[in-house]
Amino acid sequence: MAEVLKSACPLNCWDSCGLLVSIENNKVIKVEGDPSHPITKGKICGRGRMLETRTNSPERLLYPLKKVNGEFQQISWKQALDEISLKLKEIKEQYGSTAVLHSHDYANNGILKNLDQRFFNGYGGVTEIYGSLCWGAGIEAQKWDFGDAYGHEPEDILYSKNIIIWGRNVARTNMHFYEKLLEAKKNGAKIFVIDPLYNATAKIADEYISVKPGMDGLLAAGIIKEILRLGMEDRGFIDQYTYGFEDLENLINTISLEKISEMTEVPIETIHLLAKVFTDKPTSTFMGLGLQRYKNGGNTIRLIDALVAVSGNIGIAGGGANYANLQVGQSFDVANLTKSDRKTSHRQFSIMKQAEEVLAAIDPEIKMIIVTCGNPLTQVPDSSIVEKAFSSVSTLVVIEQFMTDTAQLADYVLPTTTSFEEEDIYYSSMYHHYVNYGPKLVSAPGEAKSDLWIWTQLAQRLGFGDDFRLSREQMLQLSLLSLAEKGKTLDELKVKSSLELPVKRVPWEDFQFKTASGKYEFTSMNKGEEGKLKLAVPEESKWNNPLLAEEFPYHLLTIHPLRSNHSQNYHLLPKAPQLKIEVAENIATDMHLKAVDFVRVWNNRGEVKGYLSILPKAHPNTINIDEGMWRQFGGSVNNLTSSSESDNGLGSTLYDCLVNIEKIN
Ligand SMILES: Nc1nc2c(c(=O)[nH]1)N[C@H]1C(S)=C(S)[C@@H](COP(=O)(O)OP(=O)(O)OC[C@H]3O[C@@H](n4cnc5c(=O)[nH]c(N)nc54)[C@H](O)[C@@H]3O)O[C@H]1N2
Ligand SMILES: Nc1nc2c(c(=O)[nH]1)N[C@H]1C(S)=C(S)[C@@H](COP(=O)(O)OP(=O)(O)OC[C@H]3O[C@@H](n4cnc5c(=O)[nH]c(N)nc54)[C@H](O)[C@@H]3O)O[C@H]1N2
Ligand code: SF4
Ligand SMILES: [Mo]
């Protein structure tokens, strides 16, 4: 008889679901949703169900591997750990500890995954990456405007009269929010979707607004302009609780509504309609992460925030400029886990430009890269440079569950556990404010070991084993210290499987902002000229680079796939996937292309090939290729993307990308 136990989804996702896992003979046989989870209520997506396939897959890495003369050979853990720790010791002595780069992303939401930093700090401090491919520009933008990036709790949407879904692919990426939207719609709320792609969420919208990619900041400016013209701004809020409104007014006066309509490719009547919608309060705005992966991404989010502020939708139930909810992560004492006081050296590379930085590094050069919770060869922009950089270092160590494109390049591949094979707690600072418990349910296959075991073994060999003497239980306690003071303990979490975190349900209700002025800042007070809002456009656009736009007339989006979490699921699908190139109807007509033609998409950085499909109602001149495919399936789409940084330096410009397309045989 199978035993059914509660667990949690570890995937980097908005939803952070509660799971029920069936176990028989020390084997996971089924993964379902946990009906008792307060938010996710028994529903999960295919990626969650595939955690079963992921755990049991015959393709799992089972033994440490070392590349000898270009071929992987199985070696013992002792040999792998002895050799890697010896190299680490020698590198530190000869070049200093920052000659090691830790390249990672956030493929696993477990809090103990932060212990990688405890290891690198104990070692002396390595070259770390900063910024985020995912949400960096928007988080920084909201820090400038509000002082932090806080969202309303999920139930609050039921107070909204109008709901704006701005560049978030809710039905695909955030399924429990989609359920809430349906509930709100039933209650009478009106839904507006602003997106260059007519996605599944647009289908339930009362109004779908198609916008030219990267032009949302300008669109927000147009709506503000219209609100001011109609005299419908929230004067009380603006006068009492904001800073820099005059700068915003001056900016808005530099451009006409006609010009905005022409550039955004949104009709004036629609801008007028949106002005009415925003001022018919409460109106909640839910921004996705797609709309800020542009050079102008910071300004885009800041102009949308400004629109929410001008229309008086901040700090009220059913309102909000919802982007992320950092209150969730801030509930934990992550710093207790990472022990940053242990490091004596320090260097940082931008996550976007990590490859260029590796190639350019001197003093010291990068001698070793250690990759955890990431697949940079597939996920980091401008793949050809990533490949060059990751192949150039003398030692590449990849800790992985599967033989990814990045692992293929490695000198050492260390096999690691999946989430059901180790205990951890899981949360996401993206949507809801519950933390979930995930016990160890089954043993790991072969010789796969947890990341924590690997850090502990290496630390012992390097002489700082004491930093890892605490048990998993003690490490978890450390991360929950402040919560325990508020009566939220690990024991309770273990019993209940999920706990509500003490966050503000409606942030900024008291209009006390965490900015320098204590007010909402239209102009960021301590950022000088940079702090003023700008009507910026994408880097790869006809306005910024007319020659490039002539050679590469189409805008490429590379959004998140339906059936895979980034690069994690494609290889586990029952049928081998093919690269699908989705184009707006006008492109198919202009270029005489039809469905399932084999086509090539290229620019100056690289190319991909795949099968054409036509996207009904997509914004003209727009192409989409879902991200995440390994090379063997036709990827990576990041062959085409740029490693530029957003205007505020902390985000990617993955969707700020011009390409051309042609049919091939
Ligand atoms: N199925 C699935 N779900 C996932 C993930 C996954 O890989 N697969 N990944 C998870 C992670 S890590 C993240 S970060 C989230 C991301 O969640 P989302 O933000 O929902 O998804 P993205 O694919 O990043 O962004 C795509 C949306 O932005 C729109 N968009 C792109 N450019 C623009 C623009 O210029 N203006 C406007 N208005 N819209 C634009 C796209 O058309 C699309 O609808 O999803 C999470 N959930
Ligand atoms: N073109 C384009 N590129 C993108 C995006 C896009 O929209 N378009 N989206 C960006 C976004 S939003 C994100 S968040 C990133 C995601 O980028 P990544 O996090 O790099 O992508 P994943 O494929 O989710 O995960 C990478 C690897 O982590 C491994 N892994 C999972 N759990 C563990 C673990 O516990 N320990 C260890 N050591 N490894 C583990 C998985 O096996 C997987 O191979 O991609 C970014 N790249
Ligand atoms: S991937 Fe997201 S929606 Fe799917 S089960 Fe996991 S947390 Fe839930
Ligand atoms: Mo992400």
Side-chain angles (χ1 to χ4, degrees):
M1 256 288 277
E3 194 184 1
V4 182
L5 295 166
K6 290 193 180 190
S7 184
C9 183
L11 293 173
N12 183 0
C13 177
W14 297 95
D15 293 62
S16 208
C17 294
L19 304 179
L20 286 184
V21 184
S22 306
I23 313 285
E24 208 168 72
N25 300 325
N26 193 27
K27 194 171 170 225
V28 173
I29 57 167
K30 197 179 194 182
V31 178
E32 296 165 288
D34 173 8
S36 74
H37 191 279
I39 301 288
T40 63
K41 296 184 179 155
K43 288 202 177 168
I44 58 168
C45 76
R47 297 163 289 148
R49 281 191 293 275
M50 273 176 77
L51 289 167
E52 181 271 315
T53 329
R54 210 174 159 78
T55 304
N56 295 321
S57 167
E59 291 172 40
R60 279 283 296 276
L61 295 168
L62 301 178
Y63 307 99
L65 302 172
K66 177 182 181 178
K67 201 176 271 160
V68 183
N69 301 324
E71 299 275 327
F72 281 119
Q73 286 182 0
Q74 181 181 331
I75 57 171
S76 68
W77 269 111
K78 183 172 181 314
Q79 184 186 346
L81 295 162
D82 285 350
E83 290 184 12
I84 294 167
S85 56
L86 183 66
K87 283 185 201 288
L88 281 166
K89 200 175 269 172
E90 287 171 354
I91 290 171
K92 186 171 167 179
E93 275 164 16
Q94 215 177 330
Y95 309 98
S97 58
T98 56
V100 175
L101 169 70
H102 176 211
S103 173
H104 68 99
D105 210 300
Y106 295 92
N108 178 318
N109 274 342
I111 202 163
L112 296 187
K113 294 296 152 183
N114 291 294
L115 290 169
D116 50 9
Q117 287 180 53
R118 190 182 186 93
F119 171 78
F120 291 113
N121 290 335
Y123 171 65
V126 294
T127 299
E128 297 168 2
I129 49 181
Y130 72 88
S132 163
L133 298 171
C134 175
W135 63 1
I139 294 284
E140 184 65 5
Q142 292 214 318
K143 286 186 175 167
W144 290 21
D145 298 341
F146 297 91
D148 219 329
Y150 292 165
H152 291 222
E153 62 97 20
E155 291 294 317
D156 185 65
I157 196 178
L158 299 176
Y159 294 100
S160 305
K161 219 161 153 184
N162 299 297
I163 302 165
I164 316 285
I165 305 297
W166 206 322
R168 192 186 298 187
N169 201 355
V170 181
R172 181 186 287 198
T173 66
N174 190 185
M175 65 178 285
H176 298 92
F177 180 41
Y178 185 72
E179 298 282 319
K180 273 272 159 275
L181 282 181
L182 293 176
E183 196 181 332
K185 193 176 159 80
K186 224 188 218 163
N187 267 354
K190 293 258 177 298
I191 299 176
F192 300 81
V193 167
I194 309 178
D195 204 296
L197 303 182
Y198 184 74
N199 56 29
T201 316
K203 292 185 182 145
I204 62 157
D206 293 274
E207 190 94 26
Y208 163 63
I209 295 117
S210 178
V211 62
K212 188 171 173 63
M215 301 304 284
D216 306 82
L218 217 66
L219 176 59
I223 305 169
I224 296 173
K225 194 174 176 77
E226 196 54 8
I227 290 176
L228 296 179
R229 185 185 69 85
L230 296 167
M232 291 176 77
E233 70 276 18
D234 186 336
R235 270 289 147 195
F237 176 75
I238 294 170
D239 291 345
Q240 247 183 302
Y241 300 115
T242 72
Y243 171 82
F245 181 64
E246 246 174 55
D247 292 338
L248 174 66
E249 274 184 310
N250 291 338
L251 180 75
I252 300 285
N253 286 335
T254 60
I255 190 164
S256 70
L257 203 58
E258 288 69 25
K259 187 75 189 164
I260 290 175
S261 168
E262 178 203 317
M263 291 174 76
T264 57
E265 299 176 3
V266 175
I268 287 184
E269 309 81 77
T270 307
I271 299 176
H272 180 76
L273 168 84
L274 287 169
K276 294 273 187 199
V277 169
F278 270 91
T279 48
D280 183 21
K281 299 191 291 186
T283 295
S284 53
T285 303
F286 290 83
M287 292 170 264
L289 312 187
L291 91 157
Q292 48 93 58
R293 296 193 191 111
Y294 292 83
K295 184 77 193 177
N296 54 331
N299 268 287
T300 297
I301 300 295
R302 292 191 65 210
L303 280 161
I304 296 173
D305 288 347
L307 166 59
V308 177
V310 166
S311 59
N313 280 298
I314 286 171
I316 63 168
N322 298 279
Y323 176 71
N325 198 355
L326 296 189
Q327 296 185 92
V328 177
Q330 288 165 5
S331 307
F332 302 93
D333 302 290
V334 177
N336 287 346
L337 295 179
T338 58
K339 275 189 156 246
S340 54
D341 55 314
R342 296 276 283 123
K343 69 178 161 203
T344 47
S345 310
H346 186 53
R347 179 166 68 177
Q348 286 193 318
F349 289 172
S350 139
I351 187 168
M352 280 59 77
K353 294 204 173 290
Q354 55 184 302
E356 283 101 314
E357 300 238 43
V358 165
L359 293 170
I362 42 167
D363 211 15
E365 286 177 21
I366 294 295
K367 295 292 171 188
M368 183 191 280
I369 304 179
I370 303 185
V371 179
T372 64
C373 291
N375 181 11
L377 209 70
T378 311
Q379 296 307 122
V380 172
D382 210 346
S383 309
S384 70
I385 298 185
V386 178
E387 177 162 20
K388 194 167 165 202
F390 280 65
S391 316
S392 76
V393 292
S394 24
T395 310
L396 175 63
V397 178
V398 176
I399 306 180
E400 251 300 347
Q401 298 160 344
F402 290 91
M403 188 53 80
T404 61
D405 287 348
T406 308
Q408 296 275 9
L409 287 186
D411 299 290
Y412 293 90
V413 180
L414 306 180
T416 196
T417 44
T418 62
S419 57
F420 301 141
E421 296 154 3
E422 60 176 322
E423 180 192 31
D424 210 333
I425 64 175
Y426 301 91
Y427 62 88
S428 157
S429 295
M430 294 171 77
Y431 178 54
H432 70 71
H433 57 287
Y434 287 76
V435 55
N436 304 328
Y437 176 65
K440 177 174 173 175
L441 298 175
V442 293
S443 359
E447 295 177 8
K449 299 285 185 193
S450 68
D451 296 77
L452 176 53
W453 182 87
I454 298 169
W455 304 132
T456 308
Q457 292 293 315
L458 288 172
Q460 282 169 2
R461 283 169 172 75
L462 288 160
F464 57 98
D466 276 355
D467 286 358
F468 284 86
R469 226 178 270 292
L470 300 177
S471 66
R472 235 170 221 277
E473 172 93 8
Q474 287 168 317
M475 294 283 195
L476 287 174
Q477 300 279 13
L478 271 185
S479 69
L480 290 166
L481 270 184
S482 352
L483 280 170
E485 282 163 20
K486 294 176 186 147
K488 309 257 176 194
T489 63
L490 181 60
D491 288 342
E492 191 191 359
L493 175 58
K494 284 185 182 179
V495 173
K496 293 191 173 159
S497 273
S498 68
L499 274 189
E500 185 171 12
L501 296 166
V503 301
K504 287 220 167 81
R505 290 163 168 270
V506 175
W508 319 120
E509 219 170 9
D510 54 4
F511 303 126
Q512 304 290 307
F513 297 94
K514 286 169 72 180
T515 53
S517 64
K519 297 186 168 186
Y520 176 89
E521 296 191 354
F522 291 111
T523 295
S524 186
M525 198 178 190
N526 50 22
K527 295 277 188 257
E529 257 319 287
E530 266 297 280
K532 285 192 184 166
L533 285 164
K534 282 173 203 68
L535 300 176
V537 295
E539 180 160 68
E540 301 199 354
S541 61
K542 62 181 174 197
W543 302 285
N544 263 343
N545 197 336
L547 286 180
L548 188 80
E550 218 163 281
E551 196 180 352
F552 301 108
Y554 304 120
H555 194 112
L556 178 72
L557 304 179
T558 53
I559 69 170
H560 293 197
L562 176 64
R563 291 188 205 294
S564 185
N565 221 52
H566 308 295
S567 68
Q568 293 202 44
N569 299 70
Y570 286 112
H571 64 290
L572 301 169
L573 293 169
K575 198 170 148 233
Q578 287 179 329
L579 198 84
K580 184 158 87 177
I581 295 171
E582 302 175 301
V583 304
E585 280 164 328
N586 82 301
I587 302 177
T589 311
D590 297 352
M591 303 292 293
H592 309 289
L593 300 170
K594 54 185 191 317
V596 251
D597 279 349
F598 194 54
V599 293
R600 175 174 95 100
V601 173
W602 82 98
N603 61 18
N604 291 329
R605 288 177 289 265
E607 65 169 21
V608 294
K609 293 172 184 164
Y611 295 90
L612 191 102
S613 137
I614 295 167
L615 271 181
K617 297 200 204 180
H619 201 82
N621 300 318
T622 308
I623 299 181
N624 174 58
I625 311 174
D626 287 354
E627 53 109 353
M629 279 213 186
W630 292 0
R631 198 166 276 182
Q632 69 188 90
F633 304 120
S636 160
V637 75
N638 282 316
N639 288 333
L640 297 162
T641 56
S642 150
S643 63
S644 272
E645 290 145 347
S646 63
D647 43 11
N648 57 29
L650 293 175
S652 66
T653 64
L654 289 162
Y655 297 0
D656 194 331
C657 180
L658 290 178
V659 294
N660 209 332
I661 186 168
E662 67 181 2
K663 186 173 166 171
I664 49 174
N665 292 318

mmCIF file of all heavy atoms in Angstrom, residues 261-284:
data_model
loop_
_atom_site.group_PDB
_atom_site.id
_atom_site.type_symbol
_atom_site.label_atom_id
_atom_site.label_comp_id
_atom_site.label_asym_id
_atom_site.label_seq_id
_atom_site.Cartn_x
_atom_site.Cartn_y
_atom_site.Cartn_z
ATOM 1 N N SER A 261 0.582 57.355 -28.781
ATOM 2 C CA SER A 261 -0.235 56.358 -29.456
ATOM 3 C C SER A 261 0.513 55.776 -30.657
ATOM 4 O O SER A 261 0.528 54.556 -30.873
ATOM 5 C CB SER A 261 -1.554 57.005 -29.886
ATOM 6 O OG SER A 261 -2.236 56.152 -30.761
ATOM 7 N N GLU A 262 1.185 56.652 -31.388
ATOM 8 C CA GLU A 262 1.929 56.194 -32.563
ATOM 9 C C GLU A 262 3.078 55.256 -32.159
ATOM 10 O O GLU A 262 3.283 54.208 -32.767
ATOM 11 C CB GLU A 262 2.472 57.435 -33.299
ATOM 12 C CG GLU A 262 3.298 57.143 -34.520
ATOM 13 C CD GLU A 262 4.237 58.311 -34.847
ATOM 14 O OE1 GLU A 262 3.789 59.491 -34.781
ATOM 15 O OE2 GLU A 262 5.415 58.041 -35.140
ATOM 16 N N MET A 263 3.787 55.628 -31.087
ATOM 17 C CA MET A 263 4.955 54.825 -30.699
ATOM 18 C C MET A 263 4.570 53.505 -30.017
ATOM 19 O O MET A 263 5.219 52.482 -30.211
ATOM 20 C CB MET A 263 5.883 55.642 -29.792
ATOM 21 C CG MET A 263 6.586 56.777 -30.526
ATOM 22 S SD MET A 263 7.536 57.839 -29.412
ATOM 23 C CE MET A 263 8.980 56.825 -29.085
ATOM 24 N N THR A 264 3.546 53.524 -29.182
ATOM 25 C CA THR A 264 3.156 52.299 -28.467
ATOM 26 C C THR A 264 2.295 51.393 -29.345
ATOM 27 O O THR A 264 2.099 50.224 -29.043
ATOM 28 C CB THR A 264 2.332 52.630 -27.203
ATOM 29 O OG1 THR A 264 1.192 53.397 -27.599
ATOM 30 C CG2 THR A 264 3.130 53.419 -26.192
ATOM 31 N N GLU A 265 1.760 51.991 -30.429
ATOM 32 C CA GLU A 265 0.818 51.291 -31.307
ATOM 33 C C GLU A 265 -0.451 50.889 -30.549
ATOM 34 O O GLU A 265 -1.011 49.817 -30.765
ATOM 35 C CB GLU A 265 1.515 50.119 -32.032
ATOM 36 C CG GLU A 265 2.670 50.634 -32.909
ATOM 37 C CD GLU A 265 3.512 49.568 -33.605
ATOM 38 O OE1 GLU A 265 3.208 48.375 -33.483
ATOM 39 O OE2 GLU A 265 4.487 49.959 -34.294
ATOM 40 N N VAL A 266 -0.852 51.764 -29.622
ATOM 41 C CA VAL A 266 -2.115 51.598 -28.887
ATOM 42 C C VAL A 266 -3.000 52.796 -29.254
ATOM 43 O O VAL A 266 -2.564 53.942 -29.130
ATOM 44 C CB VAL A 266 -1.871 51.580 -27.352
ATOM 45 C CG1 VAL A 266 -3.195 51.523 -26.596
ATOM 46 C CG2 VAL A 266 -0.974 50.411 -26.966
ATOM 47 N N PRO A 267 -4.230 52.547 -29.715
ATOM 48 C CA PRO A 267 -5.092 53.664 -30.126
ATOM 49 C C PRO A 267 -5.377 54.651 -28.985
ATOM 50 O O PRO A 267 -5.449 54.242 -27.817
ATOM 51 C CB PRO A 267 -6.400 52.972 -30.547
ATOM 52 C CG PRO A 267 -6.098 51.533 -30.664
ATOM 53 C CD PRO A 267 -4.881 51.244 -29.876
ATOM 54 N N ILE A 268 -5.566 55.934 -29.333
ATOM 55 C CA ILE A 268 -5.860 56.969 -28.334
ATOM 56 C C ILE A 268 -7.114 56.619 -27.526
ATOM 57 O O ILE A 268 -7.146 56.809 -26.310
ATOM 58 C CB ILE A 268 -6.018 58.348 -29.019
ATOM 59 C CG1 ILE A 268 -4.640 58.833 -29.466
ATOM 60 C CG2 ILE A 268 -6.661 59.368 -28.082
ATOM 61 C CD1 ILE A 268 -4.602 60.213 -30.062
ATOM 62 N N GLU A 269 -8.129 56.054 -28.198
ATOM 63 C CA GLU A 269 -9.369 55.712 -27.469
ATOM 64 C C GLU A 269 -9.072 54.705 -26.350
ATOM 65 O O GLU A 269 -9.689 54.746 -25.286
ATOM 66 C CB GLU A 269 -10.434 55.061 -28.381
ATOM 67 C CG GLU A 269 -10.765 55.796 -29.667
ATOM 68 C CD GLU A 269 -9.736 55.508 -30.751
ATOM 69 O OE1 GLU A 269 -9.797 54.419 -31.333
ATOM 70 O OE2 GLU A 269 -8.876 56.386 -31.001
ATOM 71 N N THR A 270 -8.138 53.787 -26.610
ATOM 72 C CA THR A 270 -7.807 52.790 -25.588
ATOM 73 C C THR A 270 -7.092 53.452 -24.412
ATOM 74 O O THR A 270 -7.340 53.122 -23.247
ATOM 75 C CB THR A 270 -6.922 51.679 -26.214
ATOM 76 O OG1 THR A 270 -7.590 51.181 -27.365
ATOM 77 C CG2 THR A 270 -6.659 50.572 -25.237
ATOM 78 N N ILE A 271 -6.232 54.408 -24.704
ATOM 79 C CA ILE A 271 -5.528 55.126 -23.632
ATOM 80 C C ILE A 271 -6.561 55.886 -22.790
ATOM 81 O O ILE A 271 -6.506 55.889 -21.553
ATOM 82 C CB ILE A 271 -4.459 56.080 -24.222
ATOM 83 C CG1 ILE A 271 -3.422 55.257 -25.012
ATOM 84 C CG2 ILE A 271 -3.793 56.895 -23.120
ATOM 85 C CD1 ILE A 271 -2.359 56.076 -25.717
ATOM 86 N N HIS A 272 -7.504 56.470 -23.469
ATOM 87 C CA HIS A 272 -8.576 57.191 -22.779
ATOM 88 C C HIS A 272 -9.380 56.231 -21.890
ATOM 89 O O HIS A 272 -9.639 56.507 -20.714
ATOM 90 C CB HIS A 272 -9.475 57.847 -23.835
ATOM 91 C CG HIS A 272 -10.607 58.604 -23.243
ATOM 92 N ND1 HIS A 272 -10.429 59.849 -22.658
ATOM 93 C CD2 HIS A 272 -11.915 58.297 -23.105
ATOM 94 C CE1 HIS A 272 -11.598 60.269 -22.203
ATOM 95 N NE2 HIS A 272 -12.517 59.345 -22.461
ATOM 96 N N LEU A 273 -9.708 55.061 -22.438
ATOM 97 C CA LEU A 273 -10.451 54.049 -21.669
ATOM 98 C C LEU A 273 -9.664 53.654 -20.414
ATOM 99 O O LEU A 273 -10.216 53.562 -19.315
ATOM 100 C CB LEU A 273 -10.695 52.811 -22.549
ATOM 101 C CG LEU A 273 -11.189 51.576 -21.780
ATOM 102 C CD1 LEU A 273 -12.697 51.638 -21.603
ATOM 103 C CD2 LEU A 273 -10.817 50.272 -22.471
ATOM 104 N N LEU A 274 -8.365 53.439 -20.573
ATOM 105 C CA LEU A 274 -7.556 52.997 -19.434
ATOM 106 C C LEU A 274 -7.473 54.085 -18.358
ATOM 107 O O LEU A 274 -7.420 53.780 -17.162
ATOM 108 C CB LEU A 274 -6.166 52.558 -19.903
ATOM 109 C CG LEU A 274 -6.155 51.213 -20.654
ATOM 110 C CD1 LEU A 274 -4.808 50.955 -21.320
ATOM 111 C CD2 LEU A 274 -6.501 50.046 -19.718
ATOM 112 N N ALA A 275 -7.484 55.347 -18.770
ATOM 113 C CA ALA A 275 -7.491 56.443 -17.787
ATOM 114 C C ALA A 275 -8.756 56.352 -16.936
ATOM 115 O O ALA A 275 -8.724 56.510 -15.709
ATOM 116 C CB ALA A 275 -7.412 57.790 -18.501
ATOM 117 N N LYS A 276 -9.858 56.052 -17.564
ATOM 118 C CA LYS A 276 -11.139 55.897 -16.840
ATOM 119 C C LYS A 276 -11.077 54.694 -15.899
ATOM 120 O O LYS A 276 -11.537 54.747 -14.763
ATOM 121 C CB LYS A 276 -12.289 55.662 -17.847
ATOM 122 C CG LYS A 276 -12.569 56.834 -18.723
ATOM 123 C CD LYS A 276 -13.536 57.777 -18.055
ATOM 124 C CE LYS A 276 -13.905 58.844 -19.041
ATOM 125 N NZ LYS A 276 -14.451 60.027 -18.649
ATOM 126 N N VAL A 277 -10.499 53.601 -16.395
ATOM 127 C CA VAL A 277 -10.438 52.377 -15.607
ATOM 128 C C VAL A 277 -9.578 52.579 -14.362
ATOM 129 O O VAL A 277 -9.955 52.193 -13.250
ATOM 130 C CB VAL A 277 -9.882 51.218 -16.479
ATOM 131 C CG1 VAL A 277 -9.548 50.006 -15.627
ATOM 132 C CG2 VAL A 277 -10.877 50.852 -17.570
ATOM 133 N N PHE A 278 -8.408 53.203 -14.534
ATOM 134 C CA PHE A 278 -7.519 53.395 -13.380
ATOM 135 C C PHE A 278 -8.151 54.297 -12.321
ATOM 136 O O PHE A 278 -7.896 54.140 -11.127
ATOM 137 C CB PHE A 278 -6.155 53.945 -13.833
ATOM 138 C CG PHE A 278 -5.178 52.847 -14.138
ATOM 139 C CD1 PHE A 278 -5.067 52.333 -15.426
ATOM 140 C CD2 PHE A 278 -4.394 52.282 -13.137
ATOM 141 C CE1 PHE A 278 -4.186 51.300 -15.710
ATOM 142 C CE2 PHE A 278 -3.514 51.245 -13.405
ATOM 143 C CZ PHE A 278 -3.409 50.749 -14.700
ATOM 144 N N THR A 279 -8.974 55.255 -12.751
ATOM 145 C CA THR A 279 -9.548 56.182 -11.776
ATOM 146 C C THR A 279 -10.900 55.703 -11.247
ATOM 147 O O THR A 279 -11.446 56.287 -10.319
ATOM 148 C CB THR A 279 -9.690 57.590 -12.386
ATOM 149 O OG1 THR A 279 -10.317 57.482 -13.667
ATOM 150 C CG2 THR A 279 -8.331 58.245 -12.560
ATOM 151 N N ASP A 280 -11.405 54.597 -11.797
ATOM 152 C CA ASP A 280 -12.633 53.997 -11.281
ATOM 153 C C ASP A 280 -12.205 52.993 -10.207
ATOM 154 O O ASP A 280 -12.152 51.796 -10.440
ATOM 155 C CB ASP A 280 -13.375 53.321 -12.453
ATOM 156 C CG ASP A 280 -14.700 52.729 -12.024
ATOM 157 O OD1 ASP A 280 -15.236 53.161 -10.983
ATOM 158 O OD2 ASP A 280 -15.198 51.836 -12.738
ATOM 159 N N LYS A 281 -11.859 53.491 -9.024
ATOM 160 C CA LYS A 281 -11.158 52.711 -8.006
ATOM 161 C C LYS A 281 -12.086 51.792 -7.216
ATOM 162 O O LYS A 281 -13.269 52.085 -7.147
ATOM 163 C CB LYS A 281 -10.475 53.680 -7.028
ATOM 164 C CG LYS A 281 -9.447 54.572 -7.672
ATOM 165 C CD LYS A 281 -8.610 55.304 -6.650
ATOM 166 C CE LYS A 281 -9.379 56.351 -5.880
ATOM 167 N NZ LYS A 281 -8.544 57.152 -4.978
ATOM 168 N N PRO A 282 -11.542 50.766 -6.548
ATOM 169 C CA PRO A 282 -10.135 50.357 -6.575
ATOM 170 C C PRO A 282 -9.785 49.530 -7.817
ATOM 171 O O PRO A 282 -10.525 48.638 -8.189
ATOM 172 C CB PRO A 282 -9.984 49.505 -5.317
ATOM 173 C CG PRO A 282 -11.357 49.054 -4.962
ATOM 174 C CD PRO A 282 -12.329 50.038 -5.531
ATOM 175 N N THR A 283 -8.625 49.868 -8.389
ATOM 176 C CA THR A 283 -8.094 49.138 -9.536
ATOM 177 C C THR A 283 -6.753 48.526 -9.116
ATOM 178 O O THR A 283 -5.875 49.244 -8.641
ATOM 179 C CB THR A 283 -7.905 50.091 -10.723
ATOM 180 O OG1 THR A 283 -9.197 50.553 -11.125
ATOM 181 C CG2 THR A 283 -7.223 49.413 -11.903
ATOM 182 N N SER A 284 -6.643 47.224 -9.271
ATOM 183 C CA SER A 284 -5.367 46.585 -8.926
ATOM 184 C C SER A 284 -4.581 46.323 -10.204
ATOM 185 O O SER A 284 -5.157 45.996 -11.242
ATOM 186 C CB SER A 284 -5.595 45.281 -8.172
ATOM 187 O OG SER A 284 -6.472 44.449 -8.890
#
